[in-house]
Structures are given as structure tokens and as C-alpha cells.
Amino acid sequence: MKDAFGMPQSLLVLGGTSEIALATARRLIARRTRTVWLAGRPSPALDQAAAQLRALGPDVHTVPFDALDPESHETALGKVFADGDVDLVLLAFGILGDQATDEREPVSAVRVAQTNYTGAVSAGLVSARALQAQGHGSLVVLSSVAGERARRSNFIYGSSKAGLDAFAQGLGDALHGTGVHVMVVRPGFVRSRMTQGLPEAPMATTPEAVATAIEVGLRRRAEVVWVPGALRVVMSALRHAPRSVFRRLPM
């Protein structure tokens, strides 16, 4: 169960090598999280992430999980929930893709969509049902400001995040009053392995800053969190900009 300050004592990360997820795990471990499950494809990177968190004191386990194999999600995640209540599920997997390649090769574009949206719908519903069955818990979904309005430079990725964002908001409405809290997190450009080599966007942030925002949002039981917060105003303006103007913006 959550502690007296509302912080989770148990955490399940879907996307166990995500830099944002691991920064969040470290922050929550410092606040009393004592059990962590890292779900992801078996790899040295996943094992290393588990070892690094284990060194901080909690019990850390890994579980095989593949976003592109929805038929396995119920079995894989069911093993985690069968081991005990989970206070927080952090849905953190996703891929950026390569816009130019994805436009030329539709199969690559479909992989982005299947990972970021289809896989997340499956894992989100499985997790939500398990949280509802235990009667409490939070589901935090890492979305992106890219989902607010599709840009020419990354509309394939952006469209997948737009779908994820809408799904997570609807799921939150469906679970309202059940004891399960859904929070959507919309970071801007995050300096990480995923964005390495890309031109840095204005108001760029870090995995640690996103982790801090997630903790604050959990304490407040927020439904939507922007990182940094100023992006909320910026994206509201961009969302309503005429299309003829939007096309000419240097984005």
C-alpha cells in the first residue's frame, strides 16, 4: 500500500530500461518505494538497470515483457500482480522512429504505431484491470507534447502519442471512482538516448526533471502533468494556430 505521504511502496515499470522510468524509480526509492518490477525484453541493459536500483536498497525483479506481443501481456503482468499488490504502474515504453525512413518504409511506421499505441493499449488495459481488482493504485502514462498537434518533422511518432494520450485520458475517466488514479505525463524534448543527435528543442528537459514532476503529480493526484509546466501554454497556442500559419513555423 502507499505510505502516509501517498507515495507508492511497490512499482511496476513497463519499459524497464527507460531513462525517465529509471530516474522516477530512483526518486521513489528515496521516498520509501521498497519493491520494483522492471518489465522489458531480456537484455544486459535490463539486468544492469535492475542491479543499479537494487544497490539503492529495494527488492528489484525483472519480468520479460514485449510491447509488440500483446497476447503475452496478461500472462506476463499477471505474474507480477499475483506476487502482491502494485501501488504504481509506470507505462514508459516507446520508440521515436525515424521520420524519413518511416515515410519510405510503411512497415517501419507501423512498428512505431504498434509499439507506442497498440502495445500501450494492451498493457494499459491489463494493468488497469489488475489495479481495479486490488481496489487501489495509480497508472502513470508517459505521453508527449508531440501528441498535441502533429508536426511535419515527426507526425508518425506524434500521431502514435496522440492516440496514446486520448486512450489514457479515456481510461482515466472510465476508472474514476474505482480507487484507481490515471495520470498522463506530457514531456517536451527530453535529453536522453532516444533524442541523442537530434537538434534540441526549446524548453528541453531531463529525465530527472520529468521524474520530479511525476512525484509532484502523484502527491497532488493530478490527471495531466506537463514538463516543463510552461509547455501547457505554448502548446495551447500552437494547437489553435491556423494550419496555414502552423505549417510555416520552424518546427
Side-chain angles (χ1 to χ4, degrees):
M1 296 291 288
K2 296 180 180 179
D3 67 17
F5 300 99
M7 289 293 96
Q9 293 189 33
S10 53
L11 166 66
L12 167 60
V13 176
L14 305 180
T17 59
S18 159
E19 289 175 84
I20 292 175
L22 293 174
T24 303
R26 290 191 295 270
R27 190 168 186 87
L28 294 178
I29 289 168
R31 302 294 188 273
R32 289 191 179 88
T33 296
R34 290 295 169 259
T35 304
V36 179
W37 290 84
L38 298 181
R41 290 178 177 173
S43 67
L46 184 66
D47 293 338
Q48 182 179 19
Q52 290 173 347
L53 293 183
R54 203 171 284 123
L56 301 178
D59 293 327
V60 182
H61 314 274
T62 61
V63 57
F65 172 82
D66 186 348
L68 292 174
D69 185 14
E71 292 184 0
S72 70
H73 292 177
E74 193 155 5
T75 298
L77 302 184
K79 293 177 182 177
V80 177
F81 283 91
D83 199 58
D85 283 5
V86 175
D87 296 327
L88 171 62
V89 178
L90 175 55
L91 199 161
F93 60 81
I95 57 175
L96 184 60
D98 179 272
Q99 180 70 31
T101 300
D102 295 340
E103 286 186 43
R104 292 193 308 269
E105 302 174 8
V107 171
S108 296
V110 168
R111 183 178 179 85
V112 173
Q114 288 178 332
T115 302
N116 296 352
Y117 180 68
T118 307
V121 168
S122 171
L125 289 173
V126 170
S127 298
R129 186 169 65 245
L131 292 171
Q132 190 173 3
Q134 68 185 24
H136 71 94
S138 295
L139 172 62
V140 174
V141 178
L142 288 187
S143 179
S144 169
V145 298
E148 278 291 284
R149 186 168 184 178
R151 295 180 291 150
R152 171 65 186 91
S153 61
N154 71 348
F155 66 82
I156 294 173
Y157 171 78
S159 65
S160 70
K161 286 296 188 178
L164 171 63
D165 200 292
F167 163 76
Q169 290 185 72
L171 182 60
D173 292 339
L175 292 173
H176 182 71
T178 68
V180 180
H181 165 230
V182 177
M183 184 170 79
V184 178
V185 182
R186 296 173 180 160
F189 186 99
V190 180
R191 302 183 190 101
S192 65
R193 291 188 302 271
M194 179 183 285
T195 59
Q196 190 172 5
L198 297 177
E200 189 168 298
M203 291 188 279
T205 189
T206 64
E208 289 73 24
V210 180
T212 299
I214 289 173
E215 181 192 351
V216 172
L218 286 171
R219 290 185 184 277
R220 295 176 177 174
R221 290 189 68 80
E223 294 182 327
V224 178
V225 173
W226 297 80
V227 192
L231 276 174
R232 179 173 188 169
V233 177
V234 173
M235 295 309 299
S236 178
L238 290 176
R239 186 168 62 249
H240 295 98
R243 198 165 184 183
S244 59
V245 173
F246 188 77
R247 283 194 183 112
R248 294 197 296 269
L249 294 176
M251 300 189 299

